[in-house]
Amino acid sequence: MGYRSYFETFTVAVGSCTLAIQNKVFNDDLGFTLWEKVAKDLSAVSLVSPAEFSEFTVYVVDKTLAGCIQVINGSVYCTPEDITSGAYREALVRLAMGFSEPWKGVGLAGYIFGEALDEAFLRSYYSEAEDLDALSLFAAYFIDAFATEEELNIAKQTAVSLTTYIIENYGIEQFLAENGQSHKQGWLTALGVEREYADPYAGCFDGYRYSVTKEYPLVVTTKRNDVFFIKPVTHDTGGYGYQSDFYTGSDFDTPQYVMSFLYKAEADIQAVLNGIAKEAPAYLQTVLDNYEEPISVYCGKSKSFAWPDQRKIEIADGKTFVHETVHLLFPYRVSYSAAIWKYETIPHYLELLFTDIGDEDRAETYKLLTEDNWVEAYYGDDPQVRDHLEELTEYYALVKKIYSAYTGMPETPDDVDLITFYRSCGDAELYQYAVEGITLFRSTPLAELYPYAVVSGSGNELTESELHSFREFLVMKYSLSNYIGFCLDELSFEDAFGMSYSEAKEAWTAYVCAFVNDIR
């Protein structure tokens, strides 16, 4: 529900601007004072800019839902004090001029209304800063939930100074027409900073729109109208059940993190789509149709989930975005409970196959594969594992043998093939379970993780590690295209792989056991 559901207003409209004052705060004197102030500020803007104003509304309320000035679509929500103090001017300019990027509203408002500048401070900062990321003027640098007090000050001063530089050297028309990117190097030089500026995200966020809600200090709408609701989050180790080892530390807590996440979110999904186009062109259009409708992404949650029927995902950190979004590309069309295994394996496989999502894991995996004492060093302080270090060492020794037999041992962390590593873990787990009767290190079957799962005649009775092995067996024996067709419910298991599930499971088990016996 929006503001219109909560209050009635006294409204006056002149030209493109509508002033709507909440009934509970309205009186004749206040209404006149506020309108006079808004009209005066708009007149000051019109003296500088020749552009026609966009249609917009200034809502005046006793308090905003977010506790701060809010820009939502073509409206600004603020208090009477925000107007009389001038605090609303940045939002006013942003809406009147139709700016999508907050920095332009900050910059032009500061230029028009005489924001004090400390160029010596800016010169010192940009000369000595470890990086020049603040010069990106990304929206999160203007929000205290993400930026430090120093970063907020730097961003505001930079926006006003850069705006002043562009207008005074190139004219207001060029400032209005461009995103400022082409002038940042010239501005740095004019400021007296002898450094080269290169923005790795230049142009990536063009056309993005920004707003705020009570819960989420940054709401980003992309060019394809996906909406990202972003807030910082800190995960306490041990607070999220079986996911406690995965979600630790802080996420979405800095402007740099948010920028990197939004960039990778678009780039990684495009990489998945490109991969499907190459490997399974027959099913690309189905995937594109599944992706067509915009997605709502809630960032900074305690766990990660996807709701394909609602076009909605929740993510605990940036690393889970691709996984959850692929669930929307491959929505379940048959009983989810009967086929959890295929809906849960396809996202992890595609992100490993087509993106760099696993780069952070390669360094530790490299140590596991190449260091003899890795198990003791990694698990030695875990009281649940300490009494079984010998058995665990034997398990990982088998994993190493299997991995080496498949692809050879890596010479550097970059050489680690994570798909092969996870397959090797699954092979070792299956072999120990099926041949040696060892269950000590067998991970939890999906049917036990999902109480509503159907076990009979499906892969739900397998563990996640075993499913990595089973999936790779199917893909290598048949094709990735067939596997994708199966996961899209375009092909039945028999049509995709030429045999029933039980026959495939038997063939896979026989293959793995024979393969491992040969290399032991």
Side-chain angles (χ1 to χ4, degrees):
M1 296 177 68
Y3 277 96
R4 271 297 192 185
S5 302
Y6 291 107
F7 64 88
E8 296 180 349
T9 62
F10 286 90
T11 301
V12 59
V14 176
S16 60
C17 177
T18 298
L19 179 67
I21 305 174
Q22 187 179 17
N23 285 6
K24 66 188 297 183
V25 301
F26 178 83
N27 62 61
D28 290 341
D29 289 340
L30 179 64
F32 178 80
T33 299
L34 295 181
W35 176 250
E36 187 178 48
K37 176 68 172 173
V38 171
K40 182 177 180 181
D41 288 342
L42 285 174
S43 177
V45 177
S46 66
L47 289 175
V48 173
S49 172
E52 291 186 8
F53 291 158
S54 301
E55 297 281 340
F56 68 98
T57 301
V58 179
Y59 285 101
V60 184
V61 296
D62 62 333
K63 61 180 180 180
T64 64
L65 293 181
C68 61
I69 298 171
Q70 290 180 268
V71 174
I72 303 175
N73 298 324
S75 302
V76 56
Y77 295 84
C78 59
T79 66
E81 293 74 21
D82 292 328
I83 294 180
T84 56
S85 69
Y88 86 121
R89 283 169 168 167
E90 294 168 2
L92 178 78
V93 172
R94 180 178 161 191
L95 288 175
M97 303 307 301
F99 296 146
S100 62
E101 297 177 88
W103 81 265
K104 297 193 79 171
V106 172
L108 188 56
Y111 174 77
I112 292 172
F113 297 107
E115 177 77 24
L117 284 174
D118 187 343
E119 294 199 344
F121 167 70
L122 287 173
R123 185 180 307 111
S124 174
Y125 173 82
Y126 282 110
S127 295
E128 300 172 6
E130 182 177 341
D131 57 59
L132 302 179
D133 289 350
L135 188 47
S136 70
L137 296 174
F138 179 68
Y141 278 103
F142 298 90
I143 303 172
D144 60 8
F146 307 100
T148 65
E149 186 174 344
E150 181 185 40
E151 287 172 329
L152 290 167
N153 187 29
I154 287 292
K156 186 168 186 176
Q157 290 267 312
T158 301
V160 178
S161 183
L162 177 62
T163 298
T164 302
Y165 170 81
I166 295 173
I167 292 175
E168 293 186 351
N169 287 277
Y170 302 97
I172 184 67
E173 290 84 359
Q174 192 155 147
F175 170 79
L176 297 176
E178 299 183 3
N179 62 9
Q181 196 66 35
S182 62
H183 297 294
K184 290 179 180 178
Q185 185 64 61
W187 172 79
L188 271 180
T189 302
L191 191 63
V193 178
E194 297 181 359
R195 298 179 68 175
E196 290 189 9
Y197 174 68
D199 184 354
Y201 308 115
C204 295
F205 308 128
D206 289 353
Y208 281 29
R209 306 182 298 281
Y210 306 91
S211 59
V212 59
T213 70
K214 184 176 182 179
E215 182 178 357
Y216 296 93
L218 179 60
V219 179
V220 181
T221 303
T222 70
K223 291 185 286 287
R224 56 166 256 125
N225 290 320
D226 294 331
V227 183
F228 289 80
F229 298 84
I230 305 173
K231 64 179 179 180
V233 63
T234 299
H235 305 292
D236 296 324
T237 302
Y240 304 105
Y242 70 92
Q243 297 179 336
S244 61
D245 289 338
F246 191 81
Y247 300 124
T248 57
S250 298
D251 295 290
F252 305 105
D253 56 341
T254 67
Q256 295 92 332
Y257 186 114
V258 176
M259 278 195 296
S260 175
F261 164 69
L262 289 172
Y263 167 76
K264 283 187 62 60
E266 180 175 343
D268 285 349
I269 293 301
Q270 189 58 54
V272 169
L273 295 174
N274 292 343
I276 293 173
K278 179 180 179 181
E279 300 293 339
Y283 301 107
L284 176 62
Q285 191 57 53
T286 299
V287 174
L288 291 175
D289 290 345
N290 293 339
Y291 185 50
E292 183 176 8
E293 292 297 319
I295 300 168
S296 294
V297 184
Y298 293 84
C299 308
K301 309 299 284 188
S302 61
K303 295 182 181 180
S304 296
F305 294 100
W307 290 267
D309 56 333
Q310 300 179 38
R311 307 295 296 169
K312 166 186 170 182
I313 67 173
E314 293 183 355
I315 57 175
D317 69 2
K319 292 185 293 186
T320 57
F321 171 78
V322 175
H323 183 104
E324 301 305 333
T325 302
V326 171
H327 279 307
L328 274 59
L329 305 184
F330 288 75
Y332 45 88
R333 294 194 178 93
V334 299
S335 172
Y336 179 71
S337 60
I340 292 173
W341 70 277
K342 74 175 181 180
Y343 296 125
E344 291 300 329
T345 56
I346 190 66
H348 191 224
Y349 189 49
L350 295 184
E351 66 183 358
L352 286 175
L353 199 59
F354 298 130
T355 79
D356 62 359
I357 197 72
D359 283 358
E360 295 180 12
D361 300 325
R362 285 191 172 87
E364 196 61 47
T365 304
Y366 176 75
K367 291 180 184 179
L368 183 157
L369 291 170
T370 59
E371 295 180 4
D372 293 335
N373 64 342
W374 179 87
V375 172
E376 185 172 355
Y378 193 80
Y379 286 107
D381 293 332
D382 188 335
Q384 293 181 315
V385 178
R386 192 179 301 128
D387 294 337
H388 303 287
L389 285 177
E390 183 177 347
E391 295 96 326
L392 189 60
T393 299
E394 291 177 0
Y395 166 75
Y396 277 117
L398 181 57
V399 170
K400 293 180 185 181
K401 282 187 177 181
I402 296 171
Y403 182 95
S404 181
Y406 277 133
T407 192
M409 296 302 280
E411 296 184 2
T412 70
D414 290 339
D415 297 327
V416 172
D417 184 335
L418 287 173
I419 291 178
T420 299
F421 172 72
Y422 293 131
R423 179 186 190 182
S424 301
C425 291
D427 285 2
E429 194 172 282
L430 174 66
Y431 183 85
Q432 286 194 335
Y433 176 62
V435 176
E436 300 178 341
I438 298 174
T439 61
L440 184 61
F441 300 113
R442 187 173 188 247
S443 50
T444 306
L446 258 63
E448 296 180 26
L449 291 175
Y450 300 86
Y452 47 83
V454 174
V455 178
S456 177
S458 79
N460 294 343
E461 81 275 12
L462 301 178
T463 70
E464 184 176 346
S465 289
E466 290 166 349
L467 283 167
H468 284 303
S469 173
F470 185 51
R471 176 207 62 221
E472 200 64 11
F473 170 78
L474 295 174
V475 170
M476 299 303 292
K477 187 172 178 63
Y478 297 93
S479 69
L480 176 58
S481 180
N482 281 19
Y483 188 75
I484 285 176
F486 168 63
C487 291
L488 283 168
D489 297 320
E490 298 273 325
L491 297 175
S492 67
F493 194 98
E494 289 79 3
D495 289 339
F497 308 117
M499 64 183 85
S500 68
Y501 167 76
S502 59
E503 290 171 331
K505 181 183 176 184
E506 184 177 341
W508 162 66
T509 302
Y511 168 81
V512 170
C513 292
F515 175 75
V516 176
N517 274 328
D518 287 344
I519 65 173
R520 294 203 80 179

